[in-house]
Amino acid sequence: MNIIKYKAIFIGILSALFFAVTFIINKLMANEGGSWIWSSSLRFYWMLPFFLVIVIMRKNLFPVLLSIHQRPIQWILWSTIGFGVFYAPLTYSASFSPSWLVASSWQFTIIAGILVSPFIYKGIHISISSFLFSGLIFLGILTMQIGQINHIQFKDLLTGSFWIVIAAFAYPLGNRKMILMLQGSLDVYQRILGMIICSLPFWLILNVYGITIEHSIPNHTQIYQTFIVALFSGVIATTLFFYAAELVHHDLKTLASVEATQSGEVLFTLLGEIILFHIALPDTLSMIGIGLVIIGMILHSTHSK
């Protein structure tokens, strides 16, 4: 079992590396003047054929289409929230903050997940430890924000943080409501495919806004960059993470350790930004904040189950 445990943890760390690509390339596209509208929507257009092929190869397409046909309103609502209202604001925030700060602040989704749980699951009990570890994460995020006051205009810092918070609540709300609605009738690949399909109206409306109001269209570089994000983060990272979780799903302690590997996103994103953008290391206060977030995530995953 030890070999499987270490294998799962290694794969989890590898998935965090690929997930970090999202934050780095989103910042790269923002720096190059690419509109957040296309940075977000093109990722899901690219993901569609990947997951369509995966589901078809597994001979599981018909149940997805049938489920959407039976409950189209619920599918469109929760897919729009879980994918659209999650990823569009997260991408937009890249225009205001460095990618490592976005990746670190994004961990607020753990706190948001706890806060929305009572509204989704009846009679749920949230442990005191969950609140304590979530408080540590929040303190870390707040410390990082304070550390950046002298490096980023306060208005930009506030705007970026606002949209990250919106994304942090939308992600667990949309995905958990979808999981609750499906009751295990579809596997994870089927659910992702269905949510991509049902979020398309949101992305198309956003594209119309981009063309008519912002007068923006993606260039070849942005199209290529969003393909990389879709492949590395949307497909490879997601598949690796779910595979790692599946390896140890009967061992809750090891599963918690696999989940904790996602704190590596913060470090990988920071390292990537230093290499690609030649930024200086964050100041001492921000580094303390990063450390608090990572410690909080690890404690949250390993002790609050």
Side-chain angles (χ1 to χ4, degrees), residues 203-279:
W203 299 120
L204 291 171
I205 291 172
L206 199 61
N207 292 158
V208 171
Y209 170 82
I211 294 172
T212 59
I213 304 300
E214 283 199 353
H215 304 291
S216 66
I217 58 172
N219 57 36
H220 290 89
T221 301
Q222 191 173 19
I223 292 174
Y224 168 75
Q225 290 167 333
T226 53
F227 171 78
I228 296 298
V229 173
L231 178 61
F232 280 38
S233 181
V235 179
I236 296 177
T238 300
T239 302
L240 286 173
F241 180 71
F242 286 131
Y243 175 62
E246 181 66 24
L247 282 175
V248 293
H249 71 280
H250 293 302
D251 182 350
L252 294 182
K253 185 176 180 180
T254 304
L255 178 60
S257 298
V258 170
E259 292 174 348
T261 62
Q262 298 312 291
S263 62
E265 292 177 15
V266 180
L267 295 178
F268 288 132
T269 301
L270 176 58
L271 182 61
E273 196 161 20
I274 291 173
I275 294 173
L276 292 178
F277 305 142
H278 307 292
I279 67 166

Side-chain angles (χ1 to χ4, degrees), residues 5-20:
K5 173 183 177 179
Y6 292 130
K7 178 181 178 181
I9 292 175
F10 172 76
I11 293 173
I13 294 173
L14 194 60
S15 73
L17 172 61
F18 284 103
F19 275 128

Side-chain angles (χ1 to χ4, degrees), residues 20-79:
V21 171
T22 293
F23 303 103
I24 297 170
I25 295 188
N26 280 347
K27 184 61 179 178
L28 178 62
M29 289 187 287
N31 288 347
E32 293 177 347
S35 171
W36 62 275
I37 290 176
W38 299 103
S39 296
S40 56
S41 61
L42 285 172
R43 166 180 168 165
F44 286 89
Y45 294 152
W46 281 120
M47 286 174 63
L48 178 59
F50 281 114
F51 278 94
L52 186 61
V53 169
I54 291 172
V55 172
I56 290 176
M57 289 179 63
R58 293 162 62 92
K59 301 179 181 179
N60 285 331
L61 180 60
F62 179 73
V64 178
L65 301 178
L66 179 61
S67 181
I68 295 174
H69 175 73
Q70 292 173 337
R71 288 167 288 191
I73 295 177
Q74 294 96 321
W75 266 101
I76 292 174
L77 173 62
W78 300 123
S79 298

Side-chain angles (χ1 to χ4, degrees), residues 133-176:
F133 300 146
S134 295
L136 188 60
I137 294 172
F138 181 75
L139 178 62
I141 293 172
L142 188 62
T143 302
M144 287 186 295
Q145 301 289 335
I146 295 173
Q148 289 300 299
I149 287 179
N150 294 327
H151 305 283
I152 304 174
Q153 290 188 8
F154 181 73
K155 180 181 178 181
D156 288 345
L157 193 64
L158 194 63
T159 302
S161 299
F162 171 78
W163 289 111
I164 291 173
V165 170
I166 295 296
F169 275 100
Y171 185 76
L173 177 60
N175 281 278
R176 291 183 185 183

